[in-house]
Amino acid sequence: MSFDPATFRPEHFLWKFEGGVATVTLNRPERKNPLTFESYAELRDTFRALTDAKDVKVVVICGEGGNFCSGGDVHEIIGPLTKMDDSGLLQFTTMTGDLVKAIRACPQPIIAAVEGVCAGAGAILAMSSDIRFASPSAKTAFLFTRVGLSGADMGACAILPRIIGHGRASELLFTGRSMGADEGLAWGFWNRVVEVVLAEANALALELARGPTFAHAMTKRQLDAEWHVSIDEAITMEAQAQAICMKTKDFHRAYEAFANKRKPEFQGD
């Protein structure tokens, strides 16, 4: 079944689609927007579907009520996990990891717009995004150790060190302490700290949506793929990727626009 972003109506979060930008809003503000088994699964399935959703150019993730996401719901997830057998536990941790895999695999740039609490799985959602904007109120904590769990959750030990460095990631993952907005900006976790974070994220999303989206998807794919290869291999991969982009109509549109001293209008093909 094809995914239609214009008619999509999720059950466990809000969805808005306009101007090529899809906005995912976590909407349990009375609990600081925690995730449940059902919302994990629906988010995973949505990001998987975005792989073939050509009309969606960029995705913004945010939360309602002045907070981003407080992580897994204590009563609806943490409690039941204490009663599960080995098979059930692995099924759950695989599902949560599959959400991160889907976020990284979908071709659209993903912008996290973070206010207030950004903890546990919420911190992972922000970490997994391509670009992260925060308000001055943002408090980010990879607090798995606070509940007796490893910091090795949903790819944190692989992705977080690549963003902020091994030592800083180690400190956050071992202690579970909160990282303030200014500290996160200084460490490179946040791209920007701004007062009206969703407006800033939407402005960038619209700018990216008007750009060469095929080329953006290639950039995202290569940013992930080149983690695992040597510099020489990466250069070869990029030569192949760029040669593919040079065959697109967008590349030819850009040349024609430049030659005629006007701004190109990209169409993603």
Side-chain angles (χ1 to χ4, degrees):
M1 182 181 296
S2 62
F3 178 83
D4 183 354
T7 60
F8 179 51
R9 297 293 182 269
E11 292 183 40
H12 302 288
F13 53 87
L14 301 179
W15 173 271
K16 183 177 76 171
F17 178 64
E18 186 176 354
V21 177
T23 303
V24 170
T25 304
L26 305 177
N27 65 326
R28 299 179 71 198
E30 71 284 356
R31 302 281 293 279
K32 300 179 182 178
N33 305 316
L35 299 178
T36 64
F37 292 115
E38 293 79 14
S39 59
Y40 267 121
E42 191 169 34
L43 285 165
R44 175 202 62 197
D45 293 345
T46 299
F47 281 103
R48 283 176 172 172
L50 285 171
T51 299
D52 298 314
K54 305 302 183 186
D55 291 341
V56 179
K57 312 297 184 183
V58 184
V59 180
V60 174
I61 307 176
C62 61
E64 272 197 346
N67 292 294
F68 184 66
C69 176
S70 57
D73 189 288
V74 172
H75 301 294
E76 296 183 45
I77 287 186
I78 307 301
L81 288 177
T82 65
K83 300 177 177 66
M84 284 187 186
D85 60 14
D86 291 354
S87 176
L89 292 172
L90 184 58
Q91 184 177 3
F92 170 72
T93 56
T94 299
M95 176 181 70
T96 63
D98 283 347
L99 169 57
V100 174
K101 290 179 182 180
I103 289 171
R104 298 310 314 145
C106 78
Q108 295 87 352
I110 299 173
I111 304 171
V114 176
E115 298 178 280
V117 171
C118 176
I124 297 290
L125 285 176
M127 176 198 76
S128 304
S129 300
D130 299 294
I131 297 169
R132 290 165 293 278
F133 289 173
S135 71
S137 68
K139 300 288 185 183
T140 307
F142 296 84
L143 45 65
F144 307 105
T145 190
R146 299 289 181 92
V147 294
L149 296 178
S150 167
D153 194 89
M154 299 172 71
C157 286
I159 300 173
L160 190 60
R162 289 175 166 90
I163 299 172
I164 63 174
H166 184 94
R168 291 165 173 170
S170 296
E171 180 186 345
L172 294 182
L173 295 175
F174 280 128
T175 66
R177 73 165 178 84
S178 180
M179 175 178 64
D182 289 341
E183 183 179 33
L185 180 65
W187 282 11
F189 188 79
W190 303 118
N191 294 77
R192 305 177 195 173
V193 173
V194 295
E195 290 291 340
V196 188
V197 66
L198 187 56
E200 190 88 356
N202 284 334
L204 178 60
L206 288 169
E207 178 184 339
L208 294 178
R210 290 191 291 266
T213 52
F214 179 91
H216 289 337
M218 187 70 79
T219 298
K220 178 169 178 173
R221 188 181 76 177
Q222 291 307 121
L223 281 168
D224 281 353
E226 292 177 29
W227 282 1
H228 316 293
V229 301
S230 69
I231 295 296
D232 283 354
E233 289 175 292
I235 290 171
T236 298
M237 291 169 68
E238 291 192 6
Q240 295 168 343
Q242 201 71 303
I244 292 170
C245 289
M246 288 174 180
K247 296 194 294 184
T248 64
K249 294 178 181 178
D250 271 348
F251 178 64
H252 290 273
R253 289 187 189 101
Y255 168 72
E256 291 168 3
F258 178 81
N260 289 286
K261 297 182 179 181
R262 56 180 173 78
K263 188 175 181 179
E265 295 183 5
F266 296 114
Q267 297 180 29
D269 59 354

